[in-house]
Amino acid sequence: MRTGNEPVTARSPLRLRFWLSLWGLLWAAAGAAVFSLAARPGWAAACAAVAVLAAVDLVVVIRHIRQGPHYQPGRDVPPYEPPGH
């Protein structure tokens, strides 16, 4: 069912975003550890910054998943209209 306002009522694939954030967090943390052991402080700092961003995204995704069907509706929930101005 297409309504013509899909960008306004778009839904996020939160489970996919959760696993991608977790994957990025693990790799960035590992990269920060390896680069710090290899005495590359610039690369270690860059990986640590990416790890922090992935951790923040993971917290936001978990919060949205716990908020229920407003952010993660099932296939049986029709699109909702955006709030009027």
Side-chain angles (χ1 to χ4, degrees):
M1 172 167 84
R2 298 189 59 95
T3 61
N5 60 357
E6 281 78 15
V8 177
T9 60
R11 298 173 180 163
S12 176
L14 292 175
R15 287 184 198 97
L16 175 65
R17 196 167 143 199
F18 170 80
W19 290 111
L20 289 174
S21 293
L22 187 62
W23 181 255
L25 177 63
L26 294 174
W27 275 101
V34 168
F35 281 124
S36 66
L37 291 174
R40 300 282 191 175
W43 285 103
C47 285
V50 170
V52 167
L53 288 174
V56 168
D57 187 46
L58 200 58
V59 168
V60 169
V61 167
I62 290 171
R63 180 175 174 261
H64 284 180
I65 287 173
R66 289 185 180 191
Q67 285 180 342
H70 175 71
Y71 284 100
Q72 188 70 7
R75 293 188 183 274
D76 57 334
V77 178
Y80 56 90
E81 289 295 319
H85 295 291

